[in-house]
Amino acid sequence: MTTPPPATPRSTTQRSADPPSASPPSGPGPRPRPAPWVRTRLRAAPLGALLAAALAFVAVLLAAALPRAQDRGADQALRSFLEHTGAGRTSLQVTAPAPASGQSAGALDRTLASLLARTGNTFRVDPDAVVHGTRTVKRQPLLNPELSRPHRLAPEMSLLYIEQARDHVKLVEGRWPSDDPRPAGSGADEPPLRVALSKEAADTIGARVGSVLRSAPLTGGTASVEVTGLYAVTDKTADVWVNADCVPRACKKFLGESYLWEADALIGAGDLDRMHLWAHDAEDFWRLPVDVGTLRADRLDATKEEIASYVAGPTAAALTFETRRERLRTTAWLPELLEQAHARTQAAAPLAAIGPAGVGGVAFVVLCLAGALAGDRREAELRLLLARGGSRAGIVGRLVGEGAVTVLPAAAAATTLAVLLLLPTPRLAPALVSAAAVALVALLAFPVRAAVMLSPRRPAGRWRRPVAELLVLTATAAAVLEVRRRGVAPAGEDPDPLLVAAPLLLALCGGLVLARLLPLVTGLLARAAGRRPGLVGFLGLARAARGSGSRGTAAAGGRSGPSVLSTVALLLAVTAGGFGAAVLESVDSSRLTVARLTVGGDAAISAYGKALLPDGLAKAAGELPGVRTSVPLWIDHDSTLLGGPKGSTQVTVIVAEPAAYAELSRALGCGSFDPGLLSGGAAQPADAPVPALVSSGLAGRAGAQDAYVLRPGDGRELRARVAGVIDCTPARPARDAATVVLPSGPATALIGADRPNRWFGLGSPDGERLRALVGAALPASPTGPAPAATAAPAATTEGPAAGQPPASVAQPADEVYPVRTSADVVAELGADPLQRSAQRLFWASVAAAAGFALLAVLLTLMRTVPERAALLARLRTMGLRRRQGVALILAETLPQTVAAALGGAGVAAAAVALLGPALDLSTLVGTRVPTGVRLTAWPVLTQALGLAALVAAAVLVEAATSGRRQITTELRAGDQR
């Protein structure tokens, strides 16, 4: 017996639809007030309201968080890039000629105050790092005979006044130059200027406390300074010594093969007004370090304009007038650096935008799907309200109010959480706009669905769907063509949203094609399953084909809308994830290729200059765990090739074992060659030329002849013949390098190539173990090569040549024999915060898109719960077992999931093939690499199969946990539909 459906309560239907004034009075008492719509609906379906609020909260949270994550990553990348350039390049350098009279520390401070007053809008100066003072432009020679004169060249000295210098030095002898002015003399009676020298510089040039250092006479000037104190610099790398290298130490100035010493002395404020007596050209300077921690990537244009005005513009003119310094000049590298930073941000923007765009597309589909599910669930109620006199506009308005109670508070809480707690960044507008847009979609999805559902039916137009699909195909084709023509981020412009959305448009096209083909393919599979024993497969496939292909509303039995939407959601998630994963895989492979070419393999050990590696080191390195191929070789960069049309050519000679070196070249993709070319074939006479491989550039310059003469740097000679031409070689990968590769053997041993000075290895060697091995190979009393390529010339005159360490000073193993691994270079290339933030944002977006796609499938399952429960209940009465019921659900759901996963993988591969050649990965790699993304199957398949497995597991869990309860309910209550 079938139980009739219960009557709809008057309080929740008619009274809610009718206006209060339409209710007739019931007796002499007060007229009853109608139940509030929102309160009634929330009480009737609390779980649905809670789920709607939770969905809106998650969607709005992501919408507000992703733009702020992008801003935060861009700001961190900008600041890291500027910090690595150094304080000298991120400072405003202001100079002006020193006044002829009246110079004082107070005058310098007043000018500094005027300079600082014009900053602070889009950029600010760190007041604690400001450096200002006065310096003599030209160094004067010191004529004292007791000073150190290498190569009989007198040392030179300039004078500086740096107000911040005393905070960075420690007085070790004597006293600091006084700040009290000294009475000026006249002519020869002018007292010496008081200066302080660094202890290191004084020892180098041979000065001491009390020394009066004389220079050549100047017209109207003094020719002497008195050293009153010696100091030690606490930190030679401090920013205060930028552009003052010769203050902490004495510097070498090379004149051909000779050199002389240069030193800068610090004077006190008391001698500022007489500083021009040492050198007539004195210059005031102010270095204003810009606080890069306050710069923002979204205000780069305004910052560049303000700095340009400071350098040469209205601000510069105002400063000239205010400071009364007509020749005040400001120079800055910051405009060029900010332009480079903007270009880097543009280059990384496509990857940073692909992930959020994919999340946005999938979230939009899920919100529309949730609105469709709510509309189908309440269709009977809404049609009854319309039949009882309610207007369509009134019903839709009440639905908007009902949704506002749940959606708006959740959206406000999510926005507040993202703005204040999760990602605090200065810019609010993008996050607020994005959050408001998502909240609006979440609010209007159900009312719009209800408005369409309650609209009068129109005759079906068969042209509408093809026209819409044609418009999508046209927009996709235009976006792809523009990407191929201009790139995702055209030079000098921000990424075009249409171009960034090109992968998603391709996914949408794939979804449209899949929606056309899936019913046909599933129907064919259902027919094939119908010919086999068993009902489960046929019934599940038949339901899948009907649900994907039918049209109409739920009342007519159609389910095409939501099922197509879930397919599109899966396609969008797989396409965005697969395309981005292919980009990251190309970045990783390009970075590894660059690192291996830079190192010469996966690991390398080098010796400085022409020194040789310790005996047995190359063999021991080749026996380390992880080393697959060991290539010891000898290399000489100072060799000469004789016998060509131009007489002689400087070349680099490489001597290595042919087979191992050929394997190294093949692994690095650099100059692959047949090792048999260097074997010489049959036995050769002792005086036969040695076979050699030459670079292509050298082959063109050396001309064509039978034999050449190679003369290494030590003067010995070797006859060689050209056996082949290579484009590049691992030991010298530059394409235009002039290189000659020779086989190791008795012939090359005659030129001293019997012991290696380089070692290259392939595989996965441990860098720390390799360094420990190098350290153990060093002798107990190191007398190895100095770390510098050339030794400094010795002093040839009186006075010690201070500052030069003894030749036997022990050096760390990694300085004597540097060790490099490709893993270290890869880590260096990938240390850029811009790369890391783009990758983190992408993977977070992939996870969010996968979650939304899974939710889309679950919503589709929830929409079919009543119908599926009724079907399973009927089949249970016919003997259907529980396992067969779960198999039926899987057979109905998995075809769509598998088709969407495979279709998404195909669309992702097509997106890489169509859009990949236009992507420049140089910024993400960390160095210049050829433009383009390589298509590899594994990253795309990983995304597709991973999402398909996740969805299948969710469907299985849902079917196993809820199916039994739903079937039991149906068997007890009977069929009420």
Side-chain angles (χ1 to χ4, degrees):
M1 183 177 69
T2 304
T3 304
T8 305
R10 172 72 178 177
S11 60
T12 61
T13 58
Q14 185 174 352
R15 286 192 305 169
S16 300
D18 296 337
S21 59
S23 302
S26 57
R31 185 173 57 184
R33 299 179 59 187
W37 173 280
V38 174
R39 186 184 68 186
T40 303
R41 289 306 311 164
L42 293 180
R43 287 182 175 179
L47 181 59
L50 183 62
L51 292 178
L55 178 60
F57 179 85
V58 173
V60 174
L61 179 65
L62 288 174
L66 288 178
R68 296 180 71 78
Q70 287 179 317
D71 285 349
R72 191 174 187 179
D75 290 343
Q76 290 176 348
L78 169 66
R79 294 161 187 171
S80 175
F81 171 71
L82 294 178
E83 287 172 357
H84 279 82
T85 60
R89 294 173 63 87
T90 59
S91 301
L92 301 176
Q93 307 283 351
V94 185
T95 60
S101 61
Q103 177 69 298
S104 65
L108 295 172
D109 293 340
R110 287 191 295 272
T111 303
L112 175 63
S114 299
L115 295 174
L116 293 178
R118 297 285 179 171
T119 63
N121 188 11
T122 59
F123 75 94
R124 63 180 294 270
V125 172
D126 185 1
D128 297 331
V130 171
V131 178
H132 69 290
T134 304
R135 61 187 168 215
T136 56
V137 177
K138 185 178 180 181
R139 290 187 173 91
Q140 300 298 321
L142 301 177
L143 303 182
N144 301 58
E146 70 274 10
L147 300 181
S148 175
R149 298 188 180 189
H151 305 282
R152 301 187 181 278
L153 297 176
E156 296 180 351
M157 177 181 288
S158 64
L159 305 184
L160 284 91
Y161 168 75
I162 302 177
E163 185 165 321
Q164 295 79 12
R166 295 192 189 186
D167 299 332
H168 299 273
V169 300
K170 178 182 179 181
L171 194 65
V172 296
E173 188 177 350
R175 67 181 187 281
W176 196 260
S178 175
D179 291 336
D180 299 328
R182 178 184 293 186
S186 59
D189 297 332
E190 189 73 41
L193 298 173
R194 297 162 293 184
V195 300
L197 271 175
S198 72
K199 183 70 166 56
E200 185 176 339
D203 292 342
T204 301
I205 67 174
R208 60 182 183 274
V209 174
S211 296
V212 177
L213 307 179
R214 298 186 302 275
S215 179
L218 295 176
T219 304
T222 183
S224 63
V225 295
E226 180 186 357
V227 180
T228 62
L230 302 179
Y231 59 83
V233 175
T234 56
D235 183 8
K236 296 180 181 180
T237 63
D239 293 341
V240 70
W241 309 125
V242 174
N243 300 329
D245 297 334
C246 300
V247 172
R249 66 183 71 81
C251 305
K252 285 182 180 180
K253 178 181 179 181
F254 286 91
L255 300 174
E257 296 295 331
S258 306
Y259 71 93
L260 57 86
W261 294 112
E262 291 183 331
D264 294 338
L266 297 177
I267 70 170
D271 286 333
L272 274 178
D273 198 30
R274 301 192 306 134
M275 195 172 181
H276 65 280
L277 300 177
W278 178 257
H280 289 321
D281 296 328
E283 181 182 68
D284 297 339
F285 64 91
W286 300 264
R287 185 166 60 81
L288 312 179
V290 174
D291 187 0
V292 298
T294 61
L295 296 181
R296 291 167 47 183
D298 61 297
R299 303 181 67 182
L300 282 184
D301 292 338
T303 304
K304 286 189 294 186
E305 292 180 2
E306 186 171 353
I307 292 177
S309 176
Y310 204 100
V311 173
T315 304
L319 286 173
T320 300
F321 176 78
E322 183 178 341
T323 60
R324 300 296 190 269
R325 292 175 178 263
E326 296 181 358
R327 296 171 62 186
L328 189 72
R329 296 291 182 268
T330 303
T331 58
W333 287 94
L334 267 175
E336 291 80 4
L337 293 177
L338 296 180
E339 190 64 34
Q340 295 176 20
H342 182 58
R344 283 161 39 85
T345 304
Q346 285 180 328
L351 180 62
I354 288 173
V359 175
V362 179
F364 178 78
V365 172
V366 170
L367 292 176
C368 293
L369 190 58
L373 175 63
D376 292 343
R377 181 171 54 86
R378 297 177 58 181
E379 182 178 6
E381 170 196 347
L382 298 178
R383 289 190 181 280
L384 180 60
L385 288 176
L386 186 65
R388 291 186 175 183
S391 66
R392 187 176 59 167
I395 295 174
V396 171
R398 289 180 181 273
L399 294 179
V400 172
E402 176 186 333
V405 175
T406 56
V407 171
L408 295 185
T415 304
T416 304
L417 180 63
V419 170
L420 298 181
L421 300 180
L422 293 182
L423 297 168
T425 54
R427 193 163 61 144
L428 287 175
L432 295 181
V433 170
S434 179
V438 173
L440 188 63
V441 173
L443 177 64
L444 298 181
F446 175 38
V448 170
R449 169 68 175 173
V452 173
M453 185 172 55
L454 298 178
S455 300
R457 294 186 178 277
R458 298 179 182 179
R462 296 185 176 182
W463 53 271
R464 295 176 183 173
R465 182 175 178 182
V467 169
E469 293 174 348
L470 183 61
L471 290 177
V472 173
L473 289 174
T474 303
T476 304
V480 170
L481 290 176
E482 282 297 297
V483 169
R484 296 294 297 266
R485 186 176 66 89
R486 294 193 298 156
V488 177
E493 302 178 13
D494 292 326
D496 190 335
L498 178 63
L499 306 184
V500 173
L504 303 183
L505 291 175
L506 288 172
L508 183 58
C509 290
L512 297 178
V513 173
L514 195 61
R516 291 282 191 180
L517 297 179
L518 188 58
L520 301 177
V521 176
T522 311
L524 294 176
L525 293 177
R527 292 190 187 95
R531 301 187 186 98
R532 301 177 61 86
L535 184 64
V536 174
F538 166 73
L539 188 56
L541 291 173
R543 286 175 53 80
R546 181 174 61 87
S548 300
S550 62
R551 291 182 298 177
T553 63
R559 293 184 283 113
S560 64
S563 62
V564 172
L565 286 178
S566 62
T567 302
V568 171
L570 286 171
L571 269 170
L572 288 174
V574 174
T575 301
F579 183 78
V583 171
L584 292 180
E585 178 67 20
S586 295
V587 169
D588 292 340
S589 61
S590 298
R591 194 176 289 160
L592 179 59
T593 300
V594 171
R596 298 178 83 180
L597 286 175
T598 302
V599 173
D602 291 316
I605 305 175
S606 305
Y608 277 106
K610 299 179 181 179
L612 301 175
L613 295 178
D615 291 335
L617 177 60
K619 180 180 179 181
E623 295 174 351
L624 286 177
V627 177
R628 185 178 71 251
T629 303
S630 175
V631 188
L633 54 85
W634 181 83
I635 184 171
D636 181 55
H637 296 283
D638 298 328
S639 297
T640 304
L641 179 67
L642 304 175
K646 296 184 179 180
S648 62
T649 304
Q650 186 174 2
V651 297
T652 297
V653 173
I654 302 165
V655 179
E657 198 279 319
Y661 196 70
E663 182 179 351
L664 180 67
S665 296
R666 282 194 299 270
L668 270 61
C670 179
S672 179
F673 64 91
D674 181 8
L677 296 175
L678 295 179
S679 64
Q684 298 289 328
D687 58 347
V690 178
L693 299 176
V694 299
S695 59
S696 55
L698 179 61
R701 283 180 287 169
Q705 61 186 61
D706 295 336
Y708 299 90
V709 174
L710 283 173
R711 180 180 297 167
D714 58 4
R716 288 176 282 189
E717 294 184 353
L718 177 71
R719 295 179 66 240
R721 62 177 177 84
V722 177
V725 178
I726 53 176
D727 292 331
C728 84
T729 186
R732 191 84 186 277
R735 296 285 176 178
D736 57 347
T739 56
V740 178
V741 180
L742 301 174
S744 58
T748 53
L750 297 177
I751 60 173
D754 52 337
R755 288 180 55 192
N757 56 12
R758 300 288 190 275
W759 176 85
F760 295 143
L762 291 176
S764 55
D766 186 354
E768 295 303 322
R769 297 188 65 174
L770 197 57
R771 292 184 177 91
L773 179 64
V774 171
L778 291 178
S781 298
T783 57
T790 57
T796 58
T797 185
E798 64 268 16
Q804 301 183 41
S808 60
V809 172
Q811 300 291 336
D814 202 30
E815 293 184 9
V816 179
Y817 300 107
V819 175
R820 299 192 74 185
T821 63
S822 59
D824 296 337
V825 178
V826 167
E828 294 173 4
L829 294 175
D832 191 347
L834 184 64
Q835 305 167 7
R836 296 198 301 269
S837 64
Q839 293 179 4
R840 286 196 303 265
L841 183 62
F842 168 74
W843 288 119
S845 301
V846 167
F852 276 117
L854 178 62
L855 182 59
V857 175
L858 294 179
L859 287 176
T860 303
L861 290 176
M862 291 176 60
R863 184 174 182 270
T864 59
V865 162
E867 180 184 354
R868 186 173 63 250
L871 174 65
L872 292 177
R874 298 187 190 102
L875 293 177
R876 283 290 297 274
T877 62
M878 302 179 193
L880 183 74
R881 294 190 299 271
R882 182 181 179 186
R883 288 185 178 180
Q884 292 177 319
V886 174
L888 177 62
I889 297 175
L890 293 177
E892 179 184 351
T893 308
L894 289 186
Q896 175 185 346
T897 301
V898 173
L902 296 180
V907 173
V912 173
L914 293 173
L915 308 177
L919 292 178
D920 186 1
L921 304 180
S922 298
T923 299
L924 296 177
V925 172
T927 186
R928 189 65 186 173
V929 295
T931 302
V933 177
R934 291 186 294 272
L935 176 59
T936 51
W938 180 245
V940 178
L941 289 178
T942 301
Q943 299 292 317
L945 297 179
L947 186 56
L950 180 64
V951 171
V955 171
L956 181 61
V957 170
E958 194 275 339
T961 56
S962 62
R964 184 176 184 179
R965 177 179 53 82
Q966 294 163 357
I967 293 173
T968 303
T969 303
E970 289 290 336
L971 289 176
R972 289 177 178 176
D975 189 2
Q976 301 179 10
R977 282 159 292 279

